[in-house]
Amino acid sequence: MASLSPWEEMEENYFICPICLNNLRDPKLLPCLHRYCRPCLSPIVGRHHGEFDCPMCKTACIIPENGVDGFKTDFHVQNMLEFIALQKSVKSEESQTCKGCKKKEMVIAYCFKCKGFLCDQWYQFHLDNDIFQDHKDHILLLADIIDKKLSLQKLASLKIAPRCHVHTEKPAEVCCETCNNLPICMVCSNHGKHKGHRISDVKETAMKERAKIREVVGRVDQYKAKVYNMPGRLGEARERLGKKISEEKEKLQSHYQEKQEQIRKLLKKTDDLLAESTAKIGEKEMDEMTELQEKRSLELKAAAKKINEKFDELENEVNRKCKSYREEREQIFGEKRANLEKKLALLDQTARENRKLIDTHGERAAIELAVASRESEGRIRRFDNFTSTVTSILAAEDDWTDSQCLPDVSSASGPLEEEVKKELLAQDTISAIDTTELPPVVDNVSITENAESVVEIDGIKHKDGIVISTSADARGVIVISGKASSTHAFVTAVDANGKLLWQKSFENTDETIPHPKCYSAILSKQLLINACTFNKVSICHFHDGSVASTFDFSDETTHSTHGSDITNNWKKTKRISCVTGDPANKDVYIGCYDLRHRISREMLVLNDKLKYRHTIVLSDDICWARDITFHRGHLLVCDHEGKAGYIISVDKLNTEIVHRFTKPTLENGDWRPFRVCTDSKEFIYILWEAMVDNRWKRIVTQYSPDSHRLLMTKPVDDEAIALTPTFIDDEEKLLVTTARAGKMYIYDLVSS
């Protein structure tokens, strides 16, 4: 705790309103313990709804129902302000009227019981006459003011005990603990509305509150050194980063000029590829039609023979499948047996991977330091204010002051203590930039052969409806989105049993889009992203689906608000194809396809308020992104058109293919990826589809966290459309959702 401040220093610093910079008038106390004049605070509260940020420390403060009057008046400060006013009147050397003789005599004292000045004669009369026996302890000699012999304890002893809040003519005698230590008289405690409440003596209440606040101060003080040392540590980190930043700027400029020329070449190459691709598609279509016509002719001529041959072929296919499944099982269990031998090698591999992760941390370090510095300044201001408030109240050593004021301070200490703890975690994170942040070495995870359960999903069955995407959080809340009808898209939240939690729909007013769809992805624990194919994006609250912010490419107001010149081009030629959230930077990534060419490598990046940041361009090896998600700081991309899955490194100007996933070979299908997700242990899952035996089939593949090994291939329902991991009863599961049947397959993820 800070030492007791001199009275004159407190008068100068402690009682100033931060807004008007004058002595506080009718001081209102916020939950963060900062005080403002009621006239200064009133217009600030009036401009907000629900809550506002404290002008000093930016703490969010909930606005009471009756507005600024609902904030508690700080009567401790208000009482001391009375002393300040008295002090100023004495220093002014103006003649004062004696309360007793009513004459403008030379006054020498002030009686707080009489609320007036006393001349020498009436001062002696107060001391000698038994009528004023109860006034003696409330008389202040003006010489003490002039000589600055006042202390908070002395000033508190001069105060008059508070009055009963009901019987204002009676002094308060006890406290009602039930009503937040409200001062009341004995009549109220025995016969009034406080009868039956917890009643305590003011000394007893004050002792409890002092003991409580000392315990609180003890907990908070243990963080004091770290809180005040944090700016210095951040400054040292900033200096270390400064040298690296200057070097990187030079490299960036050179790199930018080089890539700028590459982009121009890629634009020309894109046009060439488009023309070539269009020609090949036409040729392939003609070849397939010719082949089908020939097959039809042959089957008509030899129908009987073909039937036997077809069944023989089907039997052989069953044998091939069984053999393939047996070999697949032998491979999985062989890998499990070799797991212990591979752990040592995996440790070395993990270390190499994390040396790359350190570089990624360094790129974001400057932003983290700036945010941490602002947070640190705010924490220090709140810490200082808390310390000064506790010091001034305890220094008064007044039972009524302690019983009335300390509960507010104790209440404010909870958020402060939590903030201080969070600050230390942030500080440790910043320090970790210079070391390593190794992920754990995890065992292999396999998907069970059969689904643990198949759940019917509430609220999504419709003759025109279709599921498009599925997301889930760690609490087991599952969000399913897609097409509801020819005019609406939908997003639905259910629990693990398929029970409906909430449902929202989005109307499509663009007649050029006959099949409106919605894609959803998790942005944070509280927020969900919804992106509709008719180019409307919204962020909603996870718990009830209420909308927090929106982005509409067809709304001119949105263009000006978000400052994006690209939206006009998007609304004319492009449609949203996928969406994901970047957990590191809290950004929103939106993929698209081009209506004219079915090839589009542009990806829009918005912040968590849906304001435009920039546009990235994918590699020219990619046609367009059908689904995306983040993994270890990189972007996983399903290129359905290009029949490949990729890992992409992303920065503001460039993208680069880091890895291409191994394609499955099951049933000799030409498999196309269209959904991707990762589990808590960083294993990667991709949902693929292929035309096999004249019908579309679906499989799920599992890859190692480093993406280099294809661990498992599993057939799933032919209508499977989306997949996501989630936790049910503290166990991680893989959910696979069907497009039209309204079913959700739940598979166990088993560690080996």
Side-chain angles (χ1 to χ4, degrees):
M1 292 294 297
S3 60
L4 179 62
S5 301
W7 172 249
E8 60 272 17
E9 182 180 333
M10 292 192 69
E11 179 185 3
E12 181 180 352
N13 300 320
Y14 192 70
F15 307 102
I16 299 298
C17 171
I19 296 176
C20 66
L21 302 180
N22 294 317
N23 279 345
L24 289 160
R25 298 164 293 159
D26 191 7
K28 289 294 182 179
L29 185 68
L30 299 187
C32 58
L33 299 183
H34 282 117
R35 305 160 190 83
Y36 301 91
C37 299
R38 184 192 178 284
C40 295
L41 188 61
S42 182
I44 296 176
V45 173
R47 290 195 298 268
H48 295 81
H49 299 282
E51 66 178 37
F52 70 100
D53 291 343
C54 169
M56 281 287 287
C57 64
K58 305 306 178 185
T59 296
C61 301
I62 297 176
I63 299 174
E65 292 183 1
N66 55 339
V68 70
D69 291 328
F71 290 112
K72 186 174 182 179
T73 299
D74 192 339
F75 86 93
H76 171 60
V77 169
Q78 195 170 39
N79 287 335
M80 288 192 285
L81 284 168
E82 293 180 13
F83 290 113
I84 293 175
L86 175 61
Q87 186 181 47
K88 288 183 177 179
S89 66
V90 172
K91 289 182 178 180
S92 68
E93 297 182 355
E94 293 181 0
S95 298
Q96 305 291 340
T97 301
C98 174
K99 186 73 174 179
C101 66
K102 309 300 182 183
K103 298 179 181 179
K104 281 199 172 185
E105 301 284 350
M106 182 175 181
V107 293
I108 65 168
Y110 184 87
C111 178
F112 287 90
K113 196 82 170 178
C114 297
K115 293 191 178 296
F117 290 96
L118 302 175
C119 66
D120 183 61
Q121 181 180 357
W122 272 90
Y123 170 67
Q124 291 300 325
F125 187 70
H126 264 61
L127 296 181
D128 299 338
N129 198 310
D130 291 340
I131 297 175
F132 298 102
Q133 182 67 29
D134 60 341
H135 288 225
K136 294 179 180 179
D137 293 335
H138 304 287
I139 298 175
L140 173 66
L141 288 174
L142 302 185
D144 289 342
I145 296 178
I146 297 172
D147 295 338
K148 300 181 181 179
K149 294 180 180 179
L150 296 178
S151 66
L152 291 175
Q153 182 180 1
K154 172 65 176 174
L155 293 175
S157 68
L158 296 170
K159 289 193 312 178
I160 309 299
R163 297 289 176 175
C164 173
H165 81 107
V166 177
H167 306 97
T168 55
E169 74 281 0
K170 294 183 178 182
E173 300 170 275
V174 291
C175 294
C176 179
E177 293 186 19
T178 305
C179 299
N180 197 25
N181 294 344
L182 194 67
I184 60 175
C185 65
M186 295 303 297
V187 174
C188 288
S189 68
N190 295 326
H191 306 289
K193 70 174 184 178
H194 297 278
K195 183 179 179 180
H197 289 189
R198 294 194 310 274
I199 307 300
S200 62
D201 179 72
V202 63
K203 290 186 178 295
E204 178 186 347
T205 302
M207 288 178 62
K208 290 180 182 178
E209 296 299 339
R210 290 182 193 120
K212 186 188 299 183
I213 199 65
R214 288 190 179 100
E215 181 181 347
V216 168
V217 170
R219 291 198 308 268
V220 174
D221 263 2
Q222 65 181 317
Y223 301 106
K224 181 178 179 179
K226 292 182 179 180
V227 169
Y228 286 108
N229 289 339
M230 189 175 184
R233 296 186 63 181
L234 292 174
E236 294 173 359
R238 191 176 291 106
E239 290 179 3
R240 292 195 301 270
L241 287 169
K243 294 181 180 178
K244 182 180 179 181
I245 290 172
S246 60
E247 295 173 357
E248 291 300 319
K249 283 183 178 179
E250 294 178 1
K251 294 179 182 178
L252 179 63
Q253 182 61 26
S254 173
H255 193 53
Y256 173 75
Q257 292 173 349
E258 177 184 347
K259 290 296 180 181
Q260 191 178 48
E261 180 61 26
Q262 292 178 2
I263 290 173
R264 292 194 184 100
K265 293 180 180 179
L266 289 176
L267 287 172
K268 184 179 182 304
K269 187 175 181 180
T270 298
D271 294 336
D272 295 342
L273 286 173
L274 176 60
E276 181 181 347
S277 176
T278 302
K280 287 182 178 179
I281 290 172
E283 293 173 1
K284 184 177 181 182
E285 183 178 10
M286 292 184 63
D287 292 343
E288 289 181 356
M289 290 298 294
T290 301
E291 183 180 353
L292 284 174
Q293 291 172 1
E294 292 174 354
K295 286 182 179 179
R296 176 183 293 182
S297 176
L298 290 173
E299 288 188 9
L300 289 173
K301 292 178 181 179
K305 182 180 178 181
K306 284 292 183 180
I307 291 173
N308 290 327
E309 290 176 353
K310 185 172 289 186
F311 275 98
D312 290 340
E313 185 178 337
L314 289 173
E315 289 174 356
N316 292 334
E317 179 64 21
V318 170
N319 291 331
R320 285 196 297 272
K321 285 184 179 178
C322 292
K323 181 180 178 181
S324 175
Y325 291 157
R326 282 195 298 270
E327 291 174 350
E328 182 183 342
R329 295 288 81 112
E330 290 172 359
Q331 178 183 357
I332 291 173
F333 285 105
E335 289 183 357
K336 289 181 179 179
R337 287 192 296 270
N339 186 51
L340 288 174
E341 297 176 358
K342 293 180 179 179
K343 278 191 175 181
L344 288 175
L346 186 57
L347 280 171
D348 292 338
Q349 180 180 334
T350 304
R352 289 193 299 271
E353 292 174 358
N354 280 274
R355 280 191 283 271
K356 297 179 181 179
L357 283 179
I358 293 172
D359 295 336
T360 303
H361 285 308
E363 294 171 1
R364 296 193 297 266
I367 297 174
E368 292 180 12
L369 282 170
V371 172
S373 295
R374 290 193 296 271
E375 291 180 354
S376 175
E377 292 169 1
R379 301 292 191 273
I380 290 174
R381 285 195 296 269
R382 285 188 281 280
F383 199 94
D384 287 342
N385 184 53
F386 172 80
T387 302
S388 299
T389 301
V390 173
T391 299
S392 68
I393 294 173
L394 291 181
E397 297 184 4
D398 179 72
D399 292 337
W400 282 112
T401 299
D402 292 349
S403 64
Q404 299 300 295
C405 298
L406 289 181
D408 294 324
V409 180
S410 296
S411 297
S413 69
L416 174 65
E417 189 173 354
E418 290 303 315
E419 286 179 333
V420 170
K421 289 179 181 178
K422 291 179 182 178
E423 179 188 42
L424 295 177
L425 290 173
Q427 181 170 316
D428 292 340
T429 301
I430 293 169
S431 300
I433 293 173
D434 295 327
T435 58
T436 57
E437 194 173 322
L438 298 173
V441 178
V442 298
D443 296 328
N444 286 337
V445 173
S446 60
I447 311 171
T448 52
E449 180 66 26
N450 299 310
E452 176 187 355
S453 60
V454 181
V455 176
E456 296 284 342
I457 305 170
D458 286 349
I460 66 169
K461 288 187 176 180
H462 190 280
K463 64 178 181 179
D464 295 325
I466 181 171
V467 172
I468 297 298
S469 68
T470 304
S471 302
D473 69 355
R475 300 166 297 179
V477 177
I478 303 160
V479 175
I480 300 168
S481 59
K483 170 193 171 187
S485 67
S486 61
T487 59
H488 287 77
F490 77 93
V491 57
T492 297
V494 299
D495 62 16
N497 297 316
K499 183 178 179 181
L500 182 65
L501 301 177
W502 55 262
Q503 189 172 55
K504 301 289 181 183
S505 64
F506 305 93
E507 183 178 7
N508 172 30
T509 58
D510 189 343
E511 296 180 356
T512 64
I513 303 176
H515 303 291
K517 302 172 186 176
C518 179
Y519 301 88
S520 296
I522 295 174
L523 181 59
S524 67
K525 291 181 179 179
Q526 294 81 25
L527 298 176
L528 179 75
I529 317 162
N530 299 313
C532 298
T533 51
F534 41 95
N535 291 342
K536 290 184 179 179
V537 184
S538 64
I539 290 180
C540 68
H541 297 286
F542 209 99
H543 67 282
D544 64 358
S546 59
V547 175
S549 55
T550 58
F551 186 91
D552 188 347
F553 293 95
S554 62
D555 185 351
E556 297 299 331
T557 304
T558 300
H559 303 170
S560 59
T561 301
H562 295 76
S564 171
D565 293 331
I566 54 87
T567 53
N568 283 321
N569 182 42
W570 269 62
K571 72 177 183 178
K572 292 178 181 177
T573 65
K574 302 183 188 305
R575 293 291 179 263
I576 290 174
S577 64
C578 56
V579 66
T580 193
D582 178 2
N585 299 308
K586 295 183 178 179
D587 287 339
V588 177
Y589 281 69
I590 301 172
C592 71
Y593 65 90
D594 194 290
L595 295 173
R596 301 165 300 179
H597 312 303
R598 299 285 292 179
I599 295 177
S600 179
R601 301 184 181 95
E602 288 184 354
M603 195 168 290
L604 192 66
V605 183
L606 311 176
N607 67 9
D608 60 351
K609 305 298 182 185
L610 294 185
K611 292 189 176 181
Y612 174 74
R613 282 195 181 277
H614 54 269
T615 301
I616 62 173
V617 180
L618 300 177
S619 167
D620 60 340
D621 292 327
I622 299 174
C623 294
W624 56 277
R626 180 74 175 267
D627 195 23
I628 51 176
T629 192
F630 272 87
H631 174 70
R632 295 186 174 183
H634 291 86
L635 195 65
L636 308 185
V637 178
C638 287
D639 181 10
H640 185 271
E641 190 79 8
K643 304 178 183 180
Y646 299 93
I647 297 181
I648 307 294
S649 66
V650 179
D651 63 31
K652 189 171 182 178
L653 297 175
N654 308 285
T655 63
E656 183 178 354
I657 294 178
V658 176
H659 177 70
R660 179 170 176 162
F661 285 98
T662 302
K663 285 187 67 171
T665 57
L666 187 65
E667 299 181 333
N668 296 319
D670 191 7
W671 298 98
R672 300 166 177 255
F674 64 103
R675 292 289 180 266
V676 61
C677 68
T678 61
D679 65 19
S680 65
K681 294 181 180 179
E682 300 188 316
F683 287 85
I684 303 166
Y685 303 88
I686 298 180
L687 184 60
W688 304 72
E689 67 176 4
M691 182 66 72
V692 179
D693 294 336
N694 294 321
R695 66 188 181 102
W696 286 103
K697 291 190 175 183
R698 265 83 172 190
I699 60 173
V700 172
T701 54
Q702 181 200 47
Y703 298 86
S704 58
D706 65 1
S707 74
H708 294 299
R709 292 178 295 154
L710 173 58
L711 302 177
M712 188 177 201
T713 302
K714 178 177 185 57
V716 292
D717 192 303
D718 288 345
E719 280 205 0
I721 193 68
L723 77 170
T724 186
T726 190
F727 282 86
I728 301 175
D729 297 329
D730 296 327
E731 293 183 358
E732 192 164 26
K733 313 286 185 180
L734 183 68
L735 310 182
V736 177
T737 311
T738 60
R740 297 185 183 274
K743 292 182 179 180
M744 182 167 60
Y745 292 82
I746 303 176
Y747 294 89
D748 277 327
L749 294 179
V750 183
S751 298
S752 59

